[in-house]
Amino acid sequence: DALQTIDGLTEVLAVPAALSASVTPRIAYNTIDNPFDPRDGFGAEVFLRMAPPYVAPIGYALLGAQLRGYHTFFDRLTFAGSLRTRAGAATDPAEYCPEGGCEWAVMQSDLFLLGGERSVRGVLENQIGVLGPSYDARLRPVMVNGTNQVQLHPGRFGAVVNVEVRYTLLRQFLIGDVRPALFYDFGVSSDDLQIKLITGRDDPVDMRYAYSVGAGLRWVTPVGPISIDAAYSPQRNTGKIHGLLGYIF
């Protein structure tokens, strides 16, 4: 009975689960020296996820890739970079949404809805995406009180770039090295590539992309790095402080 007091929640919870199956061939290459504390090397991975129409509401294919690179100079200064991409395509969803624009819902677990500590750190979690009608995994409109809900959802094309400079300031401080860091993040999630970069303070915010800059501290312990980051997005005028175990890439 308590759930009845939360407007619209019971309607959302009543949506049945969707079952689907897919195959995912992938290929990877890796020369990174240490997976927990990388300082040199290169890694690449490409995968293709496919689902035919008879095991999903509509057939789809999604191509994903990740590139990572690290190089350390003078045994203390490490340059690190990462690029992750996603691109999805689906068969005609006209049976479910004649106006189009709902196919993202069958691929949403693999597409990018960005923002937060592991993508664009100066932006709130899941705040970089496409604003539009909401659909469940069966491509049915999510209705509350008879109205199709509008939400930020992942775009069919997405990419996130992270660049860091890490410097070993103290070696074996208590139980590990201390490394200050500077970083830059950029993320985009869109259904097309027609994105206008914001050039002035009076331009409206485009929710489909954002960037941030910041500084952090890494303490490399035997159980893995402990990271604290302070990030700011000039475009969104938002800032965040994050703490996590490990690196974001």
Side-chain angles (χ1 to χ4, degrees):
D1 292 338
L3 291 179
Q4 300 287 347
T5 65
I6 304 177
D7 184 37
L9 180 58
T10 52
E11 295 183 46
V12 174
L13 294 178
V15 175
L19 298 178
S20 64
S22 63
V23 293
T24 311
R26 67 179 68 227
I27 184 171
Y29 173 81
N30 196 328
T31 63
I32 296 172
D33 56 350
N34 186 330
F36 301 105
D37 182 26
R39 304 189 68 203
D40 278 289
F42 175 79
E45 181 180 21
V46 178
F47 72 86
L48 177 64
R49 182 156 296 156
M50 300 171 290
Y54 52 83
V55 296
I58 58 175
Y60 70 87
L62 183 137
L63 180 66
Q66 178 174 356
L67 303 175
R68 294 183 296 152
Y70 310 86
H71 190 70
T72 298
F73 297 90
F74 314 114
D75 199 38
R76 286 184 179 266
L77 185 64
T78 300
F79 288 85
S82 169
L83 168 65
R84 292 173 285 157
T85 64
R86 297 286 189 275
T91 56
D92 187 4
E95 176 184 350
Y96 300 91
C97 51
E99 71 283 358
C102 66
E103 56 268 36
W104 61 268
V106 297
M107 304 176 278
Q108 59 183 298
S109 61
D110 295 306
L111 295 173
F112 283 159
L113 186 60
L114 299 171
E117 64 184 18
R118 295 193 177 275
S119 57
V120 183
R121 285 165 276 190
V123 178
L124 298 178
E125 193 83 19
N126 297 335
Q127 290 300 304
I128 303 173
V130 179
L131 186 63
S134 179
Y135 297 89
D136 63 27
R138 293 176 179 265
L139 301 185
R140 298 172 179 173
V142 176
M143 309 294 290
V144 175
N145 295 330
T147 303
N148 192 182
Q149 293 298 286
V150 175
Q151 68 173 55
L152 271 178
H153 64 74
R156 291 185 292 113
F157 309 101
V160 57
V161 175
N162 305 105
V163 179
E164 287 195 2
V165 179
R166 307 164 184 164
Y167 180 74
T168 303
L169 181 63
L170 298 174
R171 293 193 183 279
Q172 294 303 311
F173 176 74
L174 298 181
I175 57 173
D177 295 350
V178 175
R179 296 177 186 158
L182 299 175
F183 59 83
Y184 172 83
D185 308 318
F186 176 85
V188 59
S189 180
S190 176
D191 285 335
D192 56 56
L193 300 179
Q194 299 178 7
I195 295 177
K196 178 184 177 182
L197 296 181
I198 294 175
T199 58
R201 292 184 177 273
D202 295 330
D203 290 344
V205 172
D206 189 335
M207 300 299 291
R208 296 175 297 171
Y209 84 95
Y211 60 91
S212 66
V213 295
L217 195 66
R218 288 85 174 93
W219 185 28
V220 186
T221 72
V223 297
I226 298 173
S227 301
I228 298 176
D229 290 328
Y232 174 70
S233 173
Q235 173 212 7
R236 299 286 182 95
N237 194 27
T238 58
K240 292 287 291 181
I241 296 177
H242 303 283
L244 69 156
L245 182 63
Y247 296 124
I248 72 167
F249 65 94

